[in-house]
């Protein structure tokens, strides 16, 4: 029986999933650049660290008018051919490991009225409801046109270099003639088309999100080492966890207390037949603690031969940051578990602290001694 991991997300009243191995990163929806040459499924393009990423919307694939995008929407970037494409979603849920036995490749009649079945790789039937598994190969209905679009736009970007100019300056540089690919002046703006109700503050944040994804200065680019992080939250604190150490995101569905264990050992959880110990890391990080209950969120991590579940209050997003962006903690934050942090980085105008999980497990006295 083949198991696969799927990133699940929501759009309107349906839950969808795509193979997690194809997902490159997830981030809050930024300002997009509409282009006249785009196929009808693409609502704009995005410059992600010098690489052009077309952004699609499932509403268009379903032949529905695009409903207004929201400030709270996300973009899921996935591998397609030798390029990247992004998809606008309302809510990112979790990564689920699905057994092939729960997936049917023959959707019921219900789904014919909701989604083009050519887009469906299967339907996963779970106790919590159905998940529409998308076929990423069919998400692009005009692949040749999209590849040409990416090639032409990438050529335009490369021809002017990886500048850190503002969006307005970039647009001016890309307008040598009326028939150029990125003819912005003849098109309504991203806000006119998709976010007419965005407030001035939201528009400013949309632009900041887009700017943060563009290529940085040469001093930052000297290191090409990117860190993929899962962003979790405790109270007002935001932490990044090395995505390479994260096995999955889940809800705590069952909990068995372990007698005579320290308070940070919450108990055991049966995760599809595997017993996973839940470890509360808040005390080690000098954060306020609270009871852990069934239904709370958790991330399952593996550090060497240690597998553990970490209860968290929120799973926020997946991001990539340049290793050179990490900085030491300033003095006011030095008491917040400094010994177990790799550093801090700015994320959505908040300070994100990047956890050093290997050190946390080896030096944080989190592991129970079986001989005790």
């Amino acid at each position: 029986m083949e198991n696969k991991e799927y990133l699940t997300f929501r759009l309107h009243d349906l839950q969808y999933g795509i193979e997690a191995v194809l997902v490159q990163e997830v981030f809050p929806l930024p300002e997009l650049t509409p282009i006249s040459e785009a196929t009808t499924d693409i609502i704009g393009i995005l410059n992600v660290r010098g690489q052009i990423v077309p952004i699609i919307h499932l509403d268009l694939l379903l032949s529905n008018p695009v409903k207004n995008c929201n400030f709270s929407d996300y973009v899921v970037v996935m591998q397609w051919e030798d390029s990247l494409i992004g998809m606008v979603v309302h809510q990112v849920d979790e990564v689920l490991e699905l057994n092939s036995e729960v997936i049917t490749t023959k959707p019921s009649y219900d789904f014919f009225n909701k989604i083009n079945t050519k887009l469906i790789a299967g339907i996963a039937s779970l106790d919590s409801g159905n998940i529409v598994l998308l076929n990423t190969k069919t998400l692009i209905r005009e692949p040749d046109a999209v590849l040409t679009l990416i090639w032409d736009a990438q050529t335009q970007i490369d021809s002017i270099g990886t500048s850190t100019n503002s969006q307005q300056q970039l647009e001016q540089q890309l307008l040598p003639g009326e028939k150029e690919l990125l003819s912005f002046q003849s098109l309504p703006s991203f806000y006119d088309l998709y976010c007419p109700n965005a407030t001035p503050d939201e528009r400013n944040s949309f632009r900041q999100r887009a700017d943060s994804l563009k290529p940085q200065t040469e001093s930052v680019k000297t290191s090409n080492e990117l860190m993929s992080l899962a962003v979790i939250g405790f109270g007002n604190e935001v932490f990044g966890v090395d995505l390479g150490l994260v096995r999955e995101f889940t809800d705590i569905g069952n909990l068995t207390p372990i007698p005579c264990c320290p308070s940070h050992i919450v108990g055991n959880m049966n995760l599809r037949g595997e017993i996973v110990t839940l470890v509360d890391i808040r005390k080690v990080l000098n954060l306020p603690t609270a009871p852990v209950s069934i239904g709370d969120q958790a991330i399952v991590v593996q550090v060497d031969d240690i597998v553990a579940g970490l209860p968290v209050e929120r799973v926020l997003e997946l991001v990539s940051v340049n290793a050179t962006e990490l900085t030491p903690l300033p003095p006011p934050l030095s008491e917040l578990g400094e010994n177990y942090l790799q550093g801090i980085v700015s994320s959505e105008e908040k300070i994100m602290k990047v956890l050093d999980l290997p050190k946390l497990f080896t030096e944080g006295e989190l592991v129970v001694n079986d001989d005790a």
Side-chain angles (χ1 to χ4, degrees):
M1 294 180 289
E2 183 182 7
N3 287 2
K4 285 186 179 180
E5 291 188 337
Y6 292 85
L7 175 69
T8 60
F9 55 89
R10 294 182 182 273
L11 185 72
H12 307 314
D13 60 342
L14 286 179
Q15 187 174 27
Y16 297 88
I18 57 174
E19 289 188 40
V21 69
L22 299 176
V23 177
Q24 301 300 303
E25 57 185 308
V26 180
F27 45 75
L29 175 66
E31 181 182 84
L32 305 179
T33 303
I35 55 176
S36 58
E37 286 77 5
T39 65
T40 55
D41 303 330
I42 294 175
I43 64 173
I45 61 172
L46 191 59
N47 182 352
V48 180
R49 292 178 284 278
Q51 185 168 357
I52 293 298
V53 179
I55 307 299
I56 62 178
H57 202 293
L58 275 180
D59 276 339
L60 293 174
L61 290 170
L62 303 177
S63 300
N64 296 328
V66 175
K67 297 181 180 179
N68 290 343
C69 293
N70 303 311
F71 184 71
S72 57
D73 286 348
Y74 283 82
V75 171
V76 177
V77 177
M78 67 195 87
Q79 190 71 38
W80 174 74
E81 301 288 345
D82 293 326
S83 304
L84 299 176
I85 59 171
M87 180 190 306
V88 177
V89 304
H90 289 338
Q91 175 185 320
V92 177
D93 291 336
E94 58 185 328
V95 175
L96 294 176
E97 185 176 351
L98 300 179
N99 188 296
S100 57
E101 289 188 348
V102 304
I103 299 174
T104 176
T105 56
K106 295 181 179 179
S108 65
Y109 183 77
D110 276 358
F111 287 96
F112 282 87
N113 295 324
K114 295 182 179 180
I115 184 170
N116 184 342
T117 54
K118 291 182 180 179
L119 305 176
I120 300 177
I123 304 293
S125 299
L126 307 179
D127 293 340
S128 57
N130 293 324
I131 302 175
V132 181
L133 305 179
L134 295 174
N135 183 348
T136 56
K137 295 180 180 179
T138 60
L139 289 180
I140 301 299
R141 294 190 288 192
E142 301 177 46
D144 291 342
V146 173
L147 288 172
T148 300
L149 168 70
I150 295 173
W151 173 265
D152 289 344
Q154 191 71 55
T155 301
Q156 293 276 358
I157 292 292
D158 293 343
S159 69
I160 64 170
T162 52
S163 169
T164 57
N165 292 340
S166 68
Q167 178 72 17
Q168 183 178 6
Q169 291 171 316
L170 179 59
E171 293 172 4
Q172 290 172 350
Q173 289 177 322
L174 292 174
L175 279 174
E178 293 182 353
K179 294 185 179 181
E180 289 292 344
L181 172 68
L182 305 182
S183 181
F184 299 90
Q185 291 178 341
S186 62
L187 289 174
S189 72
F190 166 70
Y191 306 103
D192 293 334
L193 290 170
Y194 306 115
C195 294
N197 299 321
T199 67
D201 286 344
E202 287 176 340
R203 294 186 181 208
N204 184 52
S205 294
F206 273 125
R207 294 189 187 99
Q208 289 180 353
R209 290 173 178 178
D211 287 340
S212 69
L213 292 168
K214 292 177 184 176
Q216 303 299 310
T217 60
E218 288 300 321
S219 60
V220 174
K221 292 198 309 175
T222 53
S223 171
N224 292 322
E225 183 180 356
L226 291 177
M227 302 175 62
S228 295
L229 303 172
V231 184
I232 60 175
F234 296 107
N236 294 324
E237 301 289 340
V238 179
F239 294 87
V241 179
D242 183 352
L243 195 58
L245 302 177
V246 177
R247 282 192 13 186
E248 65 178 279
F249 305 88
T250 188
D251 292 334
I252 299 174
N254 55 83
L255 183 59
T256 303
I258 305 174
C260 305
C261 277
S263 59
H264 65 268
I265 303 298
V266 178
N268 284 336
M269 174 177 64
N270 187 325
L271 188 63
R272 297 182 297 278
E274 180 182 10
I275 302 302
V276 175
T277 300
L278 296 175
V279 180
D280 192 343
I281 62 175
R282 286 175 290 189
K283 185 174 181 180
V284 176
L285 296 176
N286 292 324
L287 296 173
T289 59
V292 176
S293 305
I294 291 176
D296 290 352
Q297 293 181 293
I299 61 172
V300 179
V301 300
Q302 180 164 2
V303 179
D304 296 327
D305 58 346
I306 301 172
V307 176
L310 308 182
V312 300
E313 294 177 19
R314 303 182 309 283
V315 176
L316 299 173
E317 58 183 317
L318 308 179
V319 300
S320 293
V321 300
N322 196 301
T324 59
E325 296 176 5
L326 288 178
T327 58
L329 269 69
L333 300 175
S334 58
E335 295 182 359
L336 294 178
E338 177 184 17
N339 291 335
Y340 310 114
L341 301 178
Q342 298 182 48
I344 62 174
V345 65
S346 178
S347 174
E348 287 296 300
E349 301 180 354
K350 289 186 176 182
I351 293 178
M352 178 171 66
K353 306 169 186 68
V354 180
L355 291 174
D356 188 338
L357 275 188
K359 192 173 183 180
L360 189 67
F361 277 100
T362 56
E363 300 181 19
E365 299 181 355
L366 291 177
V367 181
V368 177
N369 187 341
D370 293 332
D371 297 329

